Amino acid sequence: MTYFADAAEVYKYLGGAFRTANTTPGAGEQLRAADIVLRLDYTSPESSLTVVLKEPAIEVVEGDSDLTPDVRMSMSADNANMFWRGEYNVAVGLAKGEVKAKGPVSKILKLIPAAKPVFPLYRDLVSDKDAS
């Protein structure tokens, strides 16, 4: 059984992590400093997010987008959920082939530590879903 029931939940929670970070001091600045367009393709359920990590604000596009990503990553939505909880190492996922990435490796690796301040925000975001 997968954590997310459908794409709408992926957008609410995984997209919500970026939206919440954007308005949270300390979290949004670090992500916007990446200065990239990130495309995230998820499986189980099939869904996609394009995230503009640039000043002045993080922008999240649900589903297909005409934006050209600097970095494109694909993984299961369950692995993304575990990542945002701080329980999944993307570098290990890349090595195991559980995560696929296209784009400059340096930009991908720069994103991982920038995401850490978002972990507690994400856990708060999904706390009601976890309780049900």
Side-chain angles (χ1 to χ4, degrees), residues 26-84:
E29 293 89 345
Q30 287 191 46
L31 287 174
R32 288 190 299 272
D35 196 38
I36 63 167
V37 176
L38 172 66
R39 167 83 182 228
L40 298 162
D41 296 312
Y42 300 116
T43 58
S44 301
E46 297 292 323
S47 48
S48 295
L49 291 171
T50 302
V51 187
V52 179
L53 299 169
K54 298 182 179 211
E55 292 295 346
I58 294 170
E59 225 183 293
V60 179
V61 180
E62 300 171 355
D64 285 333
S65 166
D66 292 334
L67 295 171
T68 303
D70 299 298
V71 173
R72 189 169 188 158
M73 298 180 74
S74 60
M75 68 188 83
S76 73
D78 282 347
N79 284 345
N81 171 54
M82 290 189 304
F83 170 76
W84 287 113

Side-chain angles (χ1 to χ4, degrees), residues 94-115:
L94 284 162
K96 288 181 167 182
E98 296 170 349
V99 177
K100 305 267 191 265
K102 292 178 186 171
V105 173
S106 61
K107 289 187 177 192
I108 295 167
L109 296 177
K110 185 178 172 183
L111 277 175
I112 296 168

